[in-house]
């Protein structure tokens, strides 16, 4: 019987979109993950629950896009590829934290999520934007970019 490989639950493995190299990325960190081979910024997508949300979302210096979703929710499944695309396109500028509201009701209650999917943008732990419902990838990208860049009038962003 061969030994089982050991894994560190505090890290995830992410393939670099630029060169394809697999990199270990910490789930909670203050920096910005970069490829160990080509130094390109890496998409940072992690799951969190009630127990680790504060650490995972709070440690990031980057703005955090929180996806409040549930497995049984059709619109949540429909928007998931758009969230992943935004994570790739805005690698180095945003961290994505996916929260299953059935497994993390405390996080959902903390942010008064009454409908899902609810997408939140946090900066320094404070909500700076909210989008409720599934939206196409281009619209989601424009919203996230507008809010994190502080453009007044961005839908769901600062006014």
């Amino acid at each position: 019987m061969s030994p089982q490989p050991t894994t560190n639950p505090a890290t995830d493995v992410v393939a670099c979109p630029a060169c394809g190299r697999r990199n270990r990325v910490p789930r909670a960190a203050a920096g910005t993950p970069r490829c160990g081979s080509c130094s390109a910024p890496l998409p940072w997508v992690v799951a969190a629950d009630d127990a680790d949300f504060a650490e995972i979302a709070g440690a990031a210096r980057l703005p955090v896009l929180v996806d409040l979703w549930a497995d049984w929710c059709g619109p949540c499944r429909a928007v998931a590829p758009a969230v992943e695309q935004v994570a790739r396109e805005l690698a180095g500028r945003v961290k994505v934290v996916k929260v299953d509201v059935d497994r993390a009701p405390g996080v959902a209650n903390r942010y008064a999520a009454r409908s899902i999917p609810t997408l939140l943008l946090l900066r320094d732990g404070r909500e700076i934007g909210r989008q409720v419902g599934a939206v196409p990838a281009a619209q989601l990208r424009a919203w996230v970019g507008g809010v994190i860049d502080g453009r007044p009038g961005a839908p769901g962003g600062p006014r």
Side-chain angles (χ1 to χ4, degrees):
M1 179 180 226
S2 63
Q4 293 295 318
T6 58
T7 59
N8 181 352
T11 63
D12 291 326
V13 177
V14 176
C16 176
C19 72
R21 180 173 178 197
R22 294 170 49 93
N23 296 265
R24 288 202 178 277
V25 175
R27 293 171 37 80
T32 302
R34 294 197 168 273
C35 178
S37 180
C38 72
S39 298
L42 295 171
W44 202 2
V45 180
V46 299
D49 59 22
D50 285 339
D52 59 9
F53 179 81
E55 177 186 8
I56 289 172
R61 286 191 193 139
L62 297 174
V64 177
L65 173 61
V66 179
D67 179 8
L68 299 171
W69 67 283
D71 188 46
W72 49 263
C73 170
C76 297
R77 289 192 311 273
V79 80
V83 171
E84 299 282 335
Q85 181 178 335
V86 166
R88 284 189 307 275
E89 291 176 1
L90 295 178
R93 296 187 59 211
V94 70
K95 178 179 186 175
V96 174
V97 178
K98 297 185 69 65
V99 179
D100 181 339
V101 298
D102 289 334
R103 294 189 174 117
V107 174
N109 287 334
R110 174 179 176 187
Y111 291 102
R114 302 292 178 241
S115 298
I116 54 172
T118 294
L119 302 167
L120 307 169
L121 275 164
L122 308 178
R123 181 175 284 134
D124 300 321
R126 291 186 330 271
E127 184 178 332
I128 60 170
R130 178 180 292 244
Q131 172 71 51
V132 178
V135 295
Q139 185 178 341
L140 180 61
R141 166 65 172 85
W143 172 71
V144 172
V147 174
I148 65 175
D149 291 341
R151 290 194 298 263
R159 302 275 180 238

